Each structure stands twice: as structure tokens, then as C-alpha cells.
């Protein structure tokens, strides 16, 4: 999932439960155990705030990190 400003804005419009579910889905897709994230209302709000302040450079770095995790993900 490549994240651009338009996609980020759509994510930020979701309620906390929806955003938490998307975060868990992205983590799972990247090979990260979603249970390890411990998603709860407090950290979803923190994630929302951090994403809301993301610059274009931040989005590029996030996409690079995500791509790296996806490449290292063991295939089943």
C-alpha cells in the first residue's frame, strides 16, 4: 500500500475503530503480528495525530519502510 496525501486524508476521516482495523491489516500484510501492536483508543489517537502532521517527506519514508518490510516478509 503506497500512501499518498489523498489516501492519508481518507484514513484520517475514519473513526478510531476503522483506523485501528486498517492499521492492523497493514501490519499483517507487512508480516507483523497485529496482536503485538496492542491497538487501543489511546494509541489510535496518537497515531492519528502523528499521521495528521506527516509531511510529504514523511510519507515517502513511510512508504520505503513499508516496502522494506514487505520484501523481507517470508512467503508461505
Amino acid at each position: 500500500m503506497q500512501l499518498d496525501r489523498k489516501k492519508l486524508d481518507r484514513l484520517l476521516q475514519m473513526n478510531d475503530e476503522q483506523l485501528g482495523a486498517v492499521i492492523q491489516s497493514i501490519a499483517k500484510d507487512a508480516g507483523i503480528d497485529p496482536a503485538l501492536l496492542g491497538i487501543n483508543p489511546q494509541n489510535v489517537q496518537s497515531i492519528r495525530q502523528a499521521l495528521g502532521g506527516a509531511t510529504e517527506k514523511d510519507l515517502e519514508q513511510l512508504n520505503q519502510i513499508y516496502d522494506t518490510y514487505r520484501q523481507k516478509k517470508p512467503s508461505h
Side-chain angles (χ1 to χ4, degrees):
M1 173 183 184
Q2 292 296 309
L3 191 59
D4 58 28
R5 181 60 56 187
K6 186 176 178 180
K7 287 180 186 175
L8 178 59
D9 289 343
R10 276 190 267 146
L11 287 173
L12 293 174
Q13 290 175 6
M14 294 178 175
N15 66 39
D16 289 352
E17 186 176 315
Q18 291 169 322
L19 182 57
V22 169
I23 293 167
Q24 290 180 345
S25 176
I26 292 169
K28 183 178 179 184
D29 193 41
I32 300 167
D33 181 359
L36 297 175
L37 298 176
I39 296 294
N40 61 54
Q42 291 78 29
N43 60 20
V44 170
Q45 279 300 317
S46 296
I47 292 167
R48 182 184 302 281
Q49 289 175 350
L51 290 175
T55 64
E56 291 303 317
K57 184 177 179 180
D58 294 332
L59 293 176
E60 288 176 23
Q61 290 176 330
L62 183 62
N63 287 325
Q64 290 174 348
I65 291 167
Y66 181 74
D67 287 343
T68 299
Y69 273 105
R70 294 231 352 129
Q71 291 172 4
K72 291 181 180 179
K73 178 182 170 185
S75 57
H76 298 282

